[in-house]
Amino acid sequence: MDLKAVEDLKGVLRSDFFHGYATAAAQIEGAWDRDGKGLSIWDTFGHTPGKISDGSTADDATRAYDFYREDVALMKSYGVNAYRFSLAWSRIIPLGGCDDPVNEKGIEFYSNLIDELLRHDITPFVTLFHWDTPQALEERYGGMLNQEAFTRDFVRYARVCFERFGDRVKHWITYNEPGVYTLAGYAAGVHAPGRSSFRERNAEGDSSTEPFIVAHTELVSHGHVSRMYREEFQPRQNGTLGITLHGNWSEPWDEDDPLDQEAAERAREFEIAWFADPLYKTGDYPASMRAQLGDRLPRFTAEESKLVLGSSAFYGMNSYTTFFVRHKTTPPDINDHKGNIESHDENKQGIPRGEESDTPWLRAAPTGFRKLLNWIYQRYQMPIYVTENGTTAKGEVAPTPEVLHDTFRIKFFEGYVGQALARAVKEDGVDIRSYFAWTFTDNWEWAAGYSDRFGSTFIDFDSQDKTRYPKQSAYYLDKLFKHLIQQA
């Protein structure tokens, strides 16, 4: 675990830089129906035959609900100073609604977890929503398709969390990757709640309209929660609140073709600026989206626009890879949500977009990550918190010495953190304040089940206690951040 490649970067990150791991409740907790927890849409989806690639469920997941104390201790041994996790809405309010009862057992679990983190000097970053809408709200009124009803319920849920945990939690995230939730759940229909125009896959849905309705609900409800936090809680709790957006770097397939350059920029706008422009720049959707989608893209009222613009105190950034983008000469399909482009694994010269991981869409591309950090910072001029970044690696099927010495993941972190992120700070002047690796342990990767292992800790899913085996990448990250972070 040599640091020669980053020798010149000693102390380039701010002394209060946060580094740790990110997780999601539905992927790690297990205890899916214990201690009063209600059903989420992912409980329903995971129990629907044919929806999860390996036929698994998250009923037990990694049993983080049972082993959170051991996990916090292990995390501490990895040298982290922060941990980003999500709350399961249906564990806190089982039926989800603004008039539904609070589950005190759920409150107790998260309160204990927060206290355990603080005892170990680990700063909690808490995400309110990581894709797991209470099933009752989906059945009651269609979930996010009903903006008014959903916003009312989400605001009340957020209030409960601020009231119960805000004395100790100072870093809040409303939504994790609202775009991925929207596109996978309502455009492709491969994630919960499983809606799309494709009837061979989903019984209901409209890929040409519903993703944009849901995205609008997420933005407006985030705005309402942000305003409530700023007015009612921030003055006495002194915390900060933002949102986390996804987005990968789009590189022109032919770097000399103006049409491919335009297509790459359009792809970035459809994927990232869709949410980021209303939040940080204009209070409205990008012109490129309006030009293609017309009235299928909702319009912000003046009040909504004012509510959303400036409602996130930082730019929460999840990113993993890079794609080569080529323009299309044919008109966009009605279900297109990418900006009428083609994505490629190689560019015109046959150069691949990165080294293959164990996940088809994810290739290691640190150069693109640095370009994306610059693009976001130049466009929005907000401090960036990298809230997710990580990789799978081929052949991680058993905790062998070779698997636990995960050289591919170490190389990935060296490229993304040690080169791209640190040099973006030092040489490009980008304001970056955190890095959360995805993820702490192998987990239940949504529709991929247990087949995609992103963890810096190997989990034996066949064992009763989901035995943990540390991988060397965890210790490499510790060593790397000790080198990069300025000593106070």
Side-chain angles (χ1 to χ4, degrees):
M1 292 190 285
D2 190 339
L3 295 180
K4 280 182 184 171
V6 295
E7 206 167 340
D8 63 318
L9 294 170
K10 185 171 178 62
V12 301
L13 301 183
R14 46 195 294 149
S15 59
D16 59 353
F17 191 92
F18 293 105
H19 66 99
Y21 293 91
T23 64
Q27 296 180 265
I28 63 166
E29 285 180 1
W32 71 288
D33 62 350
R34 278 170 46 200
D35 293 339
K37 181 184 172 294
L39 288 177
S40 79
I41 58 172
W42 271 100
D43 293 321
T44 301
F45 196 78
H47 286 92
T48 305
K51 297 298 185 184
I52 310 303
S53 65
D54 61 1
S56 66
T57 70
D59 290 4
D60 294 322
T62 73
R63 293 189 63 194
Y65 186 80
D66 298 312
F67 301 132
Y68 72 90
R69 288 186 183 86
E70 293 86 343
D71 282 345
V72 170
L74 182 58
M75 228 180 285
K76 183 64 175 179
S77 76
Y78 290 172
V80 311
N81 64 15
Y83 175 46
R84 177 181 168 233
F85 62 97
S86 79
L87 309 175
W89 184 347
S90 62
R91 195 178 291 287
I92 292 172
I93 306 172
L95 298 175
C98 64
D99 297 318
D100 293 321
V102 170
N103 176 29
E104 293 299 331
K105 281 283 190 183
I107 296 287
E108 181 184 7
F109 168 69
Y110 292 117
S111 191
N112 288 342
L113 171 58
I114 291 163
D115 288 345
E116 192 72 15
L117 290 165
L118 294 174
R119 269 195 291 274
H120 286 78
D121 298 315
I122 297 173
T123 300
F125 275 64
V126 176
T127 304
L128 293 173
F129 182 87
H130 200 129
W131 305 359
D132 48 351
T133 308
Q135 179 65 30
L137 303 188
E138 200 68 26
E139 294 171 2
R140 212 174 273 175
Y141 53 71
M144 291 191 195
L145 290 169
N146 186 325
Q147 180 182 314
E148 184 180 350
F150 182 87
T151 298
R152 185 181 63 237
D153 290 343
F154 186 61
V155 167
R156 189 274 183 129
Y157 160 58
R159 177 184 293 281
V160 170
C161 296
F162 299 152
E163 287 173 346
R164 301 301 193 93
F165 312 127
D167 58 329
R168 291 157 291 161
V169 174
K170 307 304 175 187
H171 301 271
W172 293 98
I173 292 165
T174 52
Y175 286 102
N176 175 79
E177 297 182 348
V180 177
Y181 174 79
T182 298
L183 295 176
Y186 294 84
V190 294
H191 279 189
R195 297 178 64 88
S196 76
S197 295
F198 311 112
R199 290 294 163 260
E200 70 280 6
R201 187 182 303 155
N202 307 114
E204 295 179 301
D206 183 346
S207 304
S208 72
T209 58
E210 288 188 2
F212 309 110
I213 294 168
V214 167
H216 201 76
T217 295
E218 289 169 305
L219 283 165
V220 172
S221 59
H222 157 83
H224 279 285
V225 167
S226 176
R227 183 171 66 185
M228 175 180 67
Y229 184 74
R230 290 195 309 271
E231 292 178 355
E232 299 182 39
F233 295 94
Q234 196 173 40
R236 67 177 187 271
Q237 293 182 351
N238 299 311
T240 187
L241 180 143
I243 193 169
T244 277
L245 307 179
H246 83 291
N248 295 305
W249 178 246
S250 292
E251 183 80 8
W253 180 80
D254 180 353
E255 61 184 2
D256 297 321
D257 186 342
L259 291 176
D260 282 359
Q261 293 169 7
E262 289 172 16
E265 180 71 359
R266 195 166 62 248
R268 292 189 285 268
E269 290 182 345
F270 265 70
E271 185 175 31
I272 300 167
W274 176 16
F275 291 89
D277 275 14
L279 287 159
Y280 303 109
K281 189 175 175 69
T282 63
D284 199 3
Y285 296 117
S288 59
M289 294 188 73
R290 182 68 64 193
Q292 178 177 317
L293 301 170
D295 288 337
R296 287 188 286 124
L297 190 64
R299 295 185 185 275
F300 288 96
T301 65
E303 183 187 352
E304 287 174 344
S305 183
K306 186 179 178 184
L307 186 71
V308 171
L309 183 62
S311 61
S312 181
F314 54 85
Y315 190 104
M317 175 184 172
N318 289 2
S319 188
Y320 290 83
T321 193
T322 291
F323 290 94
F324 290 115
V325 168
R326 190 177 189 184
H327 73 280
K328 278 185 177 178
T329 55
T330 53
D333 180 88
I334 193 170
N335 293 322
D336 176 69
H337 54 264
K338 293 185 175 181
N340 201 32
I341 54 94
E342 295 175 353
S343 291
H344 294 275
D345 289 334
E346 296 181 348
N347 68 5
K348 187 180 179 183
Q349 283 74 42
I351 299 169
R353 59 188 178 91
E355 192 176 352
E356 292 182 12
S357 69
D358 197 40
T359 303
W361 59 265
L362 202 170
R363 296 195 184 188
T367 302
F369 185 58
R370 181 173 176 180
K371 288 181 179 181
L372 182 57
L373 286 164
N374 274 275
W375 185 85
I376 287 171
Y377 191 61
Q378 288 164 15
R379 187 173 178 115
Y380 302 115
Q381 292 295 304
M382 294 293 291
I384 295 173
Y385 285 73
V386 177
T387 41
E388 276 185 35
N389 175 246
T391 188
T392 56
K394 293 183 177 181
E396 291 193 340
V397 294
T400 63
E402 294 78 19
V403 166
L404 298 181
H405 192 87
D406 51 341
T407 52
F408 181 84
R409 191 172 285 100
I410 290 169
K411 184 180 173 186
F412 181 96
F413 288 143
E414 193 278 325
Y416 276 75
V417 179
Q419 294 297 331
L421 185 147
R423 295 200 184 279
V425 171
K426 181 184 180 184
E427 298 167 15
D428 308 334
V430 181
D431 182 358
I432 305 173
R433 303 190 183 184
S434 79
Y435 179 88
F436 291 92
W438 187 266
T439 180
F440 171 53
T441 61
D442 296 334
N443 61 32
W444 192 72
E445 270 299 325
W446 309 111
Y450 297 109
S451 59
D452 275 8
R453 292 180 177 268
F454 277 86
S456 283
T457 311
F458 186 95
I459 295 278
D460 179 358
F461 289 111
D462 293 328
S463 65
Q464 177 67 32
D465 293 341
K466 313 298 178 186
T467 310
R468 279 87 164 126
Y469 297 88
K471 300 177 190 176
Q472 287 301 307
S473 59
Y475 302 112
Y476 170 76
L477 269 182
D478 180 27
K479 188 177 175 184
L480 181 61
F481 279 116
K482 279 187 170 68
H483 177 76
L484 294 175
I485 294 173
Q486 184 181 347
Q487 298 306 304

